[in-house]
Amino acid sequence: MKSAEVVNKNQDFDYEAAEGEFARDVLHGLSQTCKSLPCKYIYDDVGTELFSRIMSLPEYYPAGCEAEILETYGAVLAETIRENPVNLVELGAGDGQKTRILIGHLINSGNEFTYVPLDISGAAVRKCAKNLRSSFPDLRVRGMVSDYFDGLKWLASQDCGMNVALFLGSTIGNFSSRARAEFLNNLRGSLNPGDMVLVGFDLVKDAELMIRAYNDSLGVTAQFNKNILARINRELGGDFDLNAFRYFSTWDEVSGGIQSYLISKRPQKVRIEALSETFAFEPWEAIHTESSYKFSLPQIRKLAEDSGFETAGQYLDSGRYFADCLWKAV
């Protein structure tokens, strides 16, 4: 078995600065009249493990829907991106379960490609590469430890084939409208004309079905959201009592998304030593932790056009709950 190459473009990454950014964002969010915490901070090692559990829950339909899409249309995707060679660049090195489906179709179709897991965490890149190499011993892997856009720009400058970036799952739905536009514009700016991206979108559907997906019977999603309080306790010296907060999420038709909150059950004060601050909570006061926006197909097409892409393929599951959209940079 060949060893996977890992290119570290992140040697100069300032982890102390990243910790400082976490502290600043917590201070800013908890100082607002309507308290909030950025959902990206839920995803430390504990949060990532909890999210892996969420994806296997029966209520959480997006994971199964996207797996169905990749199984059903994997051969079509392989034919559509049949240009040799190809860098298959996964933005965010997850556990590789859904990516494994697509890789299998590419191999069976005879596509010449290199799998490039790209993440800011070297450990995540190495783990993802190892998982996939265990299933595909001859898979060419070139892991990259980097910011998404820096990594893509570096690849685009190497003249080493077409890049096909994967942004699977419904992560795009965690961005606000403004942040989403900025992300997609930066993504386009990091690619060469003709490069492609495959983006996952959770579609608007029955409200009760969507609400159940974020209120599972085992309470894993509640644990996942509360992990941001646990992380503040671990890393910033907070004294949050997790049992004093109740998880709540609901569909907001005005914003077009599931909105998730942690709600204080009683009057309380929370000290965070790293911030030298104490925060007061009224009974039933909420901390907004996550938005999960849903999309219509016309809205997705407009997002592509507005950010410099053209639609090369649009693939839906049998229930029309989820869409994986293949865009070409123009």
Side-chain angles (χ1 to χ4, degrees), residues 37 41 66 93 95 129 141-142 149 188 190 192 195 222 249 274 278 284 291 295-296 298 308:
L37 291 168
Y41 294 119
E66 190 167 41
D95 60 11
V141 178
R142 188 182 199 184
F149 305 127
R188 171 60 189 91
S190 304
N192 291 323
D195 285 347
S249 69
T278 299
W284 313 117
S291 296
F295 302 87
S296 67

Side-chain angles (χ1 to χ4, degrees), residues 40 48 52 74 114 142 145 154 186 197 209 213 221 246 307 311 325:
K40 65 180 181 180
T48 300
S52 293
T114 299
R142 188 182 199 184
V145 183
W154 186 82
N186 285 334
V197 297
L209 178 65
T221 312
R246 172 180 176 246
S307 48
T311 300
C325 297

Side-chain angles (χ1 to χ4, degrees), residues 15-320:
Y15 287 93
E16 288 188 7
E19 291 173 2
E21 182 182 5
F22 179 33
R24 287 192 298 273
D25 287 346
V26 169
L27 176 61
H28 175 76
L30 295 183
S31 299
Q32 303 304 303
T33 302
C34 297
K35 293 180 172 66
S36 65
L37 291 168
C39 69
K40 65 180 181 180
Y41 294 119
I42 301 176
Y43 292 88
D44 62 354
D45 289 344
V46 175
T48 300
E49 175 60 30
L50 286 168
F51 187 68
S52 293
R53 289 175 58 191
I54 287 171
M55 288 195 294
S56 66
L57 295 170
E59 297 97 334
Y60 193 72
Y61 61 84
C65 291
E66 190 167 41
E68 179 195 328
I69 290 169
L70 295 174
E71 286 283 13
T72 304
Y73 296 102
V76 175
L77 282 163
E79 185 62 33
T80 304
I81 62 175
R82 186 181 292 281
E83 179 171 327
N84 298 324
V86 165
N87 294 310
L88 190 69
V89 189
E90 182 158 23
L91 305 183
D95 60 11
Q97 291 302 313
K98 286 178 291 189
T99 313
R100 181 179 280 107
I101 299 170
L102 179 57
I103 286 174
H105 281 288
L106 293 174
I107 290 174
N108 291 338
S109 298
N111 291 55
E112 181 185 341
F113 70 100
T114 299
Y115 174 62
V116 185
L118 195 162
D119 199 286
I120 201 168
S121 166
V125 168
R126 286 186 288 272
K127 181 178 180 181
C128 183
K130 181 180 178 180
N131 287 344
L132 286 167
R133 289 295 297 276
S134 67
S135 297
F136 306 104
D138 295 325
L139 178 66
R140 290 192 296 271
V141 178
R142 188 182 199 184
M144 290 199 67
V145 183
S146 173
D147 167 85
Y148 290 169
F149 305 127
D150 288 343
L152 283 170
K153 286 177 182 176
W154 186 82
L155 279 171
S157 71
Q158 298 303 299
D159 192 26
C160 54
M162 182 176 78
N163 295 313
V164 178
L166 306 178
F167 199 53
L168 301 177
S170 54
T171 308
I172 194 69
N174 294 139
F175 293 98
S176 67
S177 178
R178 179 180 297 179
R180 187 185 311 132
E182 181 179 356
F183 175 85
L184 292 174
N185 284 328
N186 285 334
L187 181 59
R188 171 60 189 91
S190 304
L191 298 169
N192 291 323
D195 285 347
M196 292 185 171
V197 297
L198 183 67
V199 188
F201 291 92
D202 196 4
L203 302 178
V204 175
K205 61 189 72 66
D206 177 70
E208 290 302 318
L209 178 65
M210 293 187 291
I211 290 170
R212 283 197 300 272
Y214 295 85
N215 291 273
D216 64 276
S217 57
L218 296 178
V220 182
T221 312
Q223 288 179 259
F224 174 70
N225 277 261
K226 286 186 178 182
N227 184 57
I228 197 165
L229 304 186
R231 184 174 179 184
I232 292 171
N233 288 351
R234 289 192 297 267
E235 299 182 22
L236 301 180
D239 64 358
F240 277 101
D241 176 0
L242 273 59
N243 292 323
F245 287 84
R246 172 180 176 246
Y247 168 71
F248 175 77
S249 69
T250 190
W251 167 249
D252 178 13
E253 62 183 21
V254 176
S255 68
I258 295 286
Q259 303 297 340
S260 298
Y261 305 89
L262 295 173
I263 299 174
S264 177
K265 296 179 182 179
R266 54 176 171 78
Q268 56 181 307
K269 292 184 179 180
V270 176
R271 178 73 177 174
I272 302 179
E273 291 298 336
L275 306 181
S276 300
E277 291 283 352
T278 299
F279 300 91
F281 291 85
E282 297 293 333
W284 313 117
E285 184 176 0
I287 306 172
H288 181 263
T289 53
E290 190 175 21
S291 296
S292 300
Y293 295 105
K294 312 305 175 186
F295 302 87
S296 67
L297 295 178
Q299 184 182 6
I300 293 170
R301 286 193 290 271
K302 189 171 189 310
L303 283 173
E305 294 168 3
D306 289 348
S307 48
F309 294 97
E310 64 180 18
T311 300
Q314 185 170 268
Y315 313 100
L316 279 66
D317 66 289
S318 56
R320 300 182 67 85

